[in-house]
């Protein structure tokens, strides 16, 4: 098979910490061009954010059209002196390839490219349909100049996707244990409680917001938002900071703030979720506490790819190679699949994610070989 390990190494050696590309997209573009893909490098911009380079490549003009998606940007390496091997070395030791992005998710991209090139080599250089790649450099940061705009750009060109495989590190413990078929949405906000500043020796002249915000934090946290759904775990609201901005011990503060994040399932939309929390706040405040919520904008909506022929196809390919029947899961945080789901059914399947974002991030060489075989199996079945 085409050497996915070498592609992984070449990608890792590009220090593409968001928003830098550092040559990573060029590595992929060269390989895909040589195989006959039509490639497009597209840069997107938005005020207040860095320009981001993206890559779209397609071979074939007919249906069905399967696209592989991913991101070449990575999180910072942290203390590079703490790495056993260089953070961007791409070196192999004891059966593992080391480097930032090995798991999340340069290894997954390398496997999908290798599988596609092998499929084309064995099938006359053309698929019985179309294969494409949607690769961004803006997933690990604000995600505004990457996949979301690349999809819009492709749609304006008349591109239509039938199915997508996103190579995020979905497996929990071993290859073949998990496919992500959905993700909960994410919504953040700040609870603001108004008081009246004053001297602590004269509390009757002030209104202390600290006890009030404590009561509201408990009130909003204690009652479940729901009890889960057929495919999703229960939604959860978690407070992450409480702050009054007060440096003095003898001053009652005039304002208190508490930041929170909600991970919500398909029992809610963004609008209905906000309405539910606002109503609970109104009840908890009664006629005395003055409080409001400042909601932050969110592009992380809940989505679900319902089990069906496409998930069955992926499960069959995974089971054939690994001997395991993967769980269809919706756990974890957000990913670019939330954007892709508006255009076509999408599943997430990649390497084992145990070391992602850690010092000594590494991927098993054996797992890279296995994942390449699985992607090839998906392509064989898809066009079979």
């Amino acid at each position: 098979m085409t050497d996915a390990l070498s592609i992984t190494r070449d990608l890792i050696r590009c220090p593409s910490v968001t928003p830098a590309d550092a040559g990573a997209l060029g590595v992929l573009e060269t390989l895909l061009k040589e195989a006959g893909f039509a490639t497009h490098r597209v840069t997107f911009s938005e005020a207040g954010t860095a320009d981001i380079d993206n890559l779209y490549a397609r071979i074939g003009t007919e249906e069905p059209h399967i696209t592989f998606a991913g991101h070449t940007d990575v999180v910072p390496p942290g203390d590079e002196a703490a790495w056993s091997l260089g953070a961007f070395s791409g070196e192999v030791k004891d059966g593992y390839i080391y480097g930032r992005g090995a798991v999340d998710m340069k290894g997954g991209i390398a496997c999908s490219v290798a599988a596609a090139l092998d499929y084309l080599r064995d099938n006359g250089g053309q698929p019985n349909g179309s294969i494409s790649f949607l690769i961004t450099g803006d997933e690990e940061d604000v995600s505004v100049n990457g996949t979301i705009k690349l999809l819009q750009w492709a749609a304006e060109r008349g591109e239509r996707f039938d199915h997508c495989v996103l190579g995020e590190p979905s497996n929990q413990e071993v290859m073949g244990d998990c496919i992500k078929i959905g993700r909960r949405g994410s919504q953040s906000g700040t609870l603001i409680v108004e008081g009246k500043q004053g001297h602590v020796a004269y509390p009757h002249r002030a209104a202390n917001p600290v006890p009030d915000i404590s009561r509201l934090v408990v009130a909003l946290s204690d009652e479940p938002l729901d009890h889960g759904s057929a495919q999703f775990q229960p939604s959860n609201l978690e407070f992450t900071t409480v702050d009054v901005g007060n440096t003095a011990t003898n001053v009652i503060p005039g304002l208190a703030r508490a930041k929170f994040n909600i991970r919500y399932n398909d029992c809610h939309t963004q609008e209905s979720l906000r309405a539910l929390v606002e109503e609970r706040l109104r009840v908890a405040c009664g006629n005395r506490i003055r409080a409001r919520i400042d909601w932050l904008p969110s592009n992380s909506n809940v989505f679900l790819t319902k089990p069906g022929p496409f998930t069955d196809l992926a499960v069959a390919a995974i089971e054939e190679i690994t001997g395991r029947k993967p769980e269809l899961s919706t756990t974890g945080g957000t990913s670019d699949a939330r954007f892709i789901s508006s255009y076509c059914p999408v599943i997430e399947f990649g390497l084992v994610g145990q070391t992602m974002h850690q010092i000594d991030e590494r991927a098993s060489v054996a797992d890279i070989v296995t994942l390449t075989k699985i992607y090839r199996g998906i392509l064989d079945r898809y066009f079979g």
Side-chain angles (χ1 to χ4, degrees):
M1 303 187 75
T2 300
D3 189 2
L5 183 64
S6 294
I7 303 173
T8 303
R9 176 203 63 204
D10 292 347
L11 289 174
I12 290 173
R13 289 178 177 176
C14 300
S16 51
V17 176
T18 317
D21 170 62
L25 293 180
V27 171
L28 301 175
E29 185 176 25
T30 298
L31 288 168
L32 295 171
K33 268 187 176 180
E34 290 175 352
F37 282 78
T39 64
H40 305 270
R41 293 283 286 273
V42 193
T43 301
F44 298 115
S45 305
E46 188 162 315
T49 64
D51 292 352
I52 298 293
D53 201 11
N54 301 270
L55 172 66
Y56 179 67
R58 176 173 178 170
I59 190 167
T61 58
E62 304 298 323
E63 298 178 350
H65 180 182
I66 185 171
T67 188
F68 289 91
H71 63 91
T72 52
D73 64 315
V74 297
V75 297
D79 181 7
E80 294 193 49
W83 287 70
S84 300
L85 301 170
F88 299 104
S89 69
E91 296 295 330
V92 175
K93 181 181 179 182
D94 298 329
Y96 289 87
I97 183 168
Y98 282 72
R100 178 60 82 225
V103 170
D104 187 14
M105 59 167 289
K106 291 179 174 180
I109 292 173
C111 292
S112 62
V113 169
L117 298 186
D118 278 330
Y119 176 84
L120 294 172
R121 182 199 63 202
D122 293 342
N123 289 273
Q126 286 288 329
N128 188 25
S130 299
I131 302 171
S132 65
F133 288 87
L134 287 159
I135 309 296
T136 183
D138 186 31
E139 195 272 348
E140 296 290 6
D141 195 16
V142 292
S143 298
V144 297
N145 291 321
T147 297
I148 187 169
K149 289 182 178 175
L150 187 59
L151 286 163
Q152 294 167 353
W153 172 88
E156 289 168 359
R157 288 171 46 88
E159 301 284 337
R160 180 184 176 277
F161 308 104
D162 293 303
H163 298 92
C164 177
V165 178
L166 177 61
E168 287 283 1
S170 62
N171 289 285
Q172 305 296 309
E173 302 289 338
V174 293
M175 286 298 298
D177 65 15
C178 183
I179 298 176
K180 300 282 181 149
I181 61 168
R183 298 276 190 157
R184 293 187 299 171
S186 176
Q187 174 65 67
S188 295
T190 302
L191 171 63
I192 301 173
V193 179
E194 298 179 22
K196 182 180 179 182
Q197 191 179 55
H199 196 295
V200 295
Y202 304 93
H204 57 286
R205 297 175 182 170
N208 195 337
V210 175
D212 288 340
I213 201 167
S214 300
R215 294 184 183 97
L216 296 180
V217 165
V218 171
L220 294 180
S221 299
D222 273 4
E223 187 177 356
L225 293 167
D226 55 67
H227 298 286
S229 65
Q231 298 291 341
F232 286 91
Q233 66 193 87
S235 304
N236 62 294
L237 185 156
E238 303 297 332
F239 280 92
T240 56
T241 70
V242 179
D243 181 46
V244 294
N246 190 6
T247 59
T249 58
N250 61 349
V251 177
I252 293 172
L255 200 71
R257 295 179 175 87
K259 294 182 179 180
F260 63 89
N261 178 262
I262 306 171
R263 296 302 168 105
Y264 64 95
N265 60 32
D266 56 352
C267 294
H268 313 272
T269 65
Q270 201 173 103
E271 292 73 22
S272 69
L273 178 73
R274 290 183 178 189
L276 173 63
V277 176
E278 294 271 9
E279 175 59 19
R280 290 187 177 181
L281 176 64
R282 186 191 66 77
V283 172
C285 285
N287 295 321
R288 184 183 63 81
I289 301 175
R290 293 181 298 165
R292 69 181 190 277
I293 293 174
D294 281 355
W295 297 101
L296 291 179
S298 173
N299 60 12
S300 301
N301 294 315
V302 62
F303 77 91
L304 175 69
T305 296
K306 293 182 179 179
F310 184 55
T311 56
D312 291 346
L313 178 152
V315 167
I318 294 164
E319 196 167 11
E320 179 184 14
I321 300 301
T322 67
R324 301 181 184 90
K325 187 172 183 178
E327 174 191 2
L328 301 182
S329 171
T330 59
T331 59
T334 60
S335 74
D336 276 0
R338 69 190 189 272
F339 305 131
I340 301 167
S341 64
S342 298
Y343 292 81
C344 69
V346 54
I347 61 171
E348 297 177 55
F349 187 79
L351 293 166
V352 177
Q354 291 185 349
T355 63
M356 58 182 173
H357 293 205
Q358 295 182 8
I359 299 292
D360 279 350
E361 181 179 350
R362 59 197 179 276
S364 162
V365 173
D367 285 354
I368 287 174
V369 173
T370 297
L371 182 58
T372 306
K373 290 179 179 178
I374 290 170
Y375 286 156
R376 173 62 194 269
I378 289 174
L379 290 171
D380 288 337
R381 286 168 171 80
Y382 195 77
F383 296 117

